[in-house]
């Protein structure tokens, strides 16, 4: 049975489906970037608001800004924007029909409709999952990529907007004129300080384009920071056929995800918010609180992915669950988490780090998600300085052990050669791939060439005698023995 409002009554009660009247909803939230993650995360929390708390003013109007979003429109429109979240774990699968997205606007060709919707008085929040590239944030200058052709185009204002900032400023200018409050800009992208970056980049853009409005926005706007977490792989064709077979639901684009979800959100809103805290969101008073949760997640979850990813790729593993279910890799990761990362983490009342690690272990072991090692190896040049190197620097500072953390950097150096231990070639997918591959080849058995990349390693680590010694030994061991035998040595050594 194809998903649609008319067919909703016919789906079984066994799985959850909207119990609220979808004709009575108002759009309190406009969301830009209706991809897999949004549909598995914010839209699910909002679905709970509508189901449990009759918060009818807070449904979502989805917006797709890029030409690729035509396929999301084509999937959602015939099914009244209903879709299914398939939750998978070793214990089994469940299907949940989600109704919180009650309209979708494909922006190309409908620019005015998007701006009018954002400017509408019923819209209180514009939320974003537009990927890192959608922010036009320059990591080095910490300023907007003003020279980017899309930003230049939107600043000039000739023709319809191309960037999120073009749309947001057009809508905010209307609200400013109409005497409305600015909507809250709520980033749900996986970036540290996602709210502060949204604020700084949008204000930088607005100051160049419309200084009066920018001053008003700076004074009255709100940009909450948040930490978001739910592993959401890409939907595969077999997910659609499985849904039809197992649950009799015909859905053009379901979402597959894990049962776990988390959202820590700074309580900073300019035009009201729904009672998110009543549907499982951890609403916290300050940005500092978000940062502490974020640190735990980045160092353990993302750091854990990096730590096992490159070693696993060298050893020829395909899926994440296969790696963590290998006792050798599990022991390595546990040692790294408990001995080299945990001592550095803040203590937050109500958060038990040991529990967090145990949950991570079981999330990584989920065989049904089919999360790929290749996915967690993407973009190492961005991941190392965020997830691994700060732990090494802090452990050095406090004279703690760095052996396992250093081993994963050595494995990344080996990974950059583009050939695994079985002689199989793979693509190194990284914005700096060309430079890093050349340095990996040039350096040979020595780490020095790669350690010289200042934008990744800064100035301190490459001159730290202990770190350089340990990474040199780790690289040699990997070369001589391969990843498995090296791990045996590292795990055994520390016992
Ligand atoms: P996806 O490919 O399914 O969706 C990406 C969405 O971003 C699309 O709707 C696309 O239109 C939009 N987009 C891309 N570039 C844009 C731009 N320049 N301007 C405006 N919109 C743009 O990917 P996803 O899995 O939904 O991930 C999206 C983001 O969610 C990630 O970048 C990450 O920040 C966050 N996230 C993802 C996960 C996950 O496990 N997938 C977990 C936590 C956070």
């Amino acid at each position: 049975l194809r998903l649609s409002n008319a067919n909703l009554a016919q789906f079984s009660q066994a799985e959850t489906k909207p119990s609220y009247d979808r004709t009575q909803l108002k759009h309190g939230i406009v969301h830009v970037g209706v991809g897999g993650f949004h549909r598995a995360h914010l839209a699910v929390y909002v679905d709970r608001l509508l189901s449990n708390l009759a918060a009818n003013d807070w449904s979502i109007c989805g917006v797709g800004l890029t030409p690729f979003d035509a396929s999301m429109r084509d999937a959602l429109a015939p099914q009244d924007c209903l879709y299914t979240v398939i939750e998978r774990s070793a214990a089994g699968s469940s299907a949940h029909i989600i109704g919180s997205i009650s309209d979708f606007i494909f922006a190309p060709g409908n620019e005015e409709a998007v701006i009018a919707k954002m400017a509408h008085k019923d819209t209180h929040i514009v939320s974003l999952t537009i990927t890192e590239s959608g922010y036009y944030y320059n990591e080095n200058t910490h300023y907007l990529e003003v020279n980017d052709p899309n930003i230049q185009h939107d600043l000039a204002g000739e023709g319809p907007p191309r960037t999120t900032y073009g749309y947001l400023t057009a809508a905010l200018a209307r609200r400013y004129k109409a005497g409305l409050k600015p909507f809250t800009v709520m980033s749900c992208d996986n970036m540290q300080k996602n709210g502060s970056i949204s604020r700084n980049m949008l204000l930088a853009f607005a100051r160049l384009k419309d200084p009066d409005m920018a001053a008003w926005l700076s004074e009255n706007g709100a940009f909450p920071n948040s930490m978001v977490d739910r592993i959401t792989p890409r939907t595969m064709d077999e997910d659609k056929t499985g849904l039809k077979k197992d649950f009799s639901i015909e859905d053009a684009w379901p979402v597959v995800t894990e049962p776990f979800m988390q959202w820590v959100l700074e309580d900073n809103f300019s035009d009201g918010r729904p009672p998110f805290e009543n549907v499982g969101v951890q609403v916290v008073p300050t940005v500092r609180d978000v940062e502490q949760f974020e640190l735990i997640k980045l160092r353990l979850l993302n750091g854990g992915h990096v730590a096992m990813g490159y070693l696993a790729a060298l050893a020829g593993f395909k899926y994440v669950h296969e790696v963590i279910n290998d006792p050798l890799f599990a022991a390595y990761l546990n040692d790294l988490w408990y001995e080299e990362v945990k001592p550095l983490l803040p203590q937050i009342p109500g958060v038990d780090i040991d529990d967090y690690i145990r949950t991570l272990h079981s999330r990584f072991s989920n065989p049904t998600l089919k999360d790929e090692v290749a996915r967690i190896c993407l973009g190492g040049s961005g991941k190392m300085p965020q997830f691994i190197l700060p732990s090494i620097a802090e452990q050095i500072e406090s004279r703690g052990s760095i052996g396992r953390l250093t081993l994963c950097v050595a494995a990344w150096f080996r990974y950059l050669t583009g050939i695994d231990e079985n002689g199989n070639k793979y693509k190194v997918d990284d914005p700096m791939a060309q430079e890093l591959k050349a340095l990996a080849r040039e350096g040979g058995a020595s780490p020095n060439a790669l350690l010289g990349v200042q934008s990744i390693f800064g100035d301190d680590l490459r001159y730290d005698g202990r770190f350089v010694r340990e990474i040199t030994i780790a690289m040699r061991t990997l070369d001589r023995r391969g990843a498995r035998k090296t791990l045996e040595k590292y795990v055994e050594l520390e016992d």
Side-chain angles (χ1 to χ4, degrees), residues 19-20 45-55 278-280:
S19 53
Y20 44 89
Y45 284 111
V46 172
D47 192 68
R48 289 183 189 168
L49 282 171
L50 300 175
S51 285
N52 306 349
L53 301 166
N278 294 341
V279 289

Side-chain angles (χ1 to χ4, degrees), residues 33-37 66 69 129-131 134 164 189-190 230 232 234:
V34 182
F37 180 65
T66 76
D69 291 304
T129 46
I130 53 176
T131 77
T164 304
D189 271 296
N190 205 4
R230 193 172 209 192
T232 312
R234 285 188 188 286

Side-chain angles (χ1 to χ4, degrees), residues 302-319:
N302 302 100
H305 268 156
V306 174
M308 63 178 172
Y310 299 109
L311 284 161
L314 291 177
F317 283 94
K318 178 151 197 244
Y319 293 113

Side-chain angles (χ1 to χ4, degrees), residues 32-38 63-66 68-69 129-136 162-164 188-191 228-234 253 297 375:
V32 185
V34 182
F37 180 65
H38 169 67
V63 169
L65 292 193
T66 76
F68 305 106
D69 291 304
T129 46
I130 53 176
T131 77
E132 242 171 87
S133 63
Y135 290 85
Y136 297 92
R162 288 183 190 162
T163 70
T164 304
C188 297
D189 271 296
N190 205 4
M191 296 185 299
V228 294
D229 191 6
R230 193 172 209 192
I231 299 172
T232 312
R234 285 188 188 286
W253 202 339
K297 184 218 162 200
R375 184 186 83 86

Side-chain angles (χ1 to χ4, degrees), residues 251-294:
D251 184 341
W253 202 339
V255 188
V256 177
T257 189
E258 58 177 343
F260 180 93
M261 67 197 283
Q262 190 178 20
W263 187 16
V264 181
L265 174 64
E266 182 191 0
D267 194 359
N268 176 18
F269 288 78
S270 50
D271 192 23
R273 67 164 173 84
F276 281 127
E277 61 274 40
N278 294 341
V279 289
V281 182
Q282 290 161 272
V283 180
V284 296
T286 68
V287 57
R288 178 90 191 106
D289 300 302
V290 176
E291 282 169 1
Q292 295 212 328
F293 279 99
E294 200 167 44

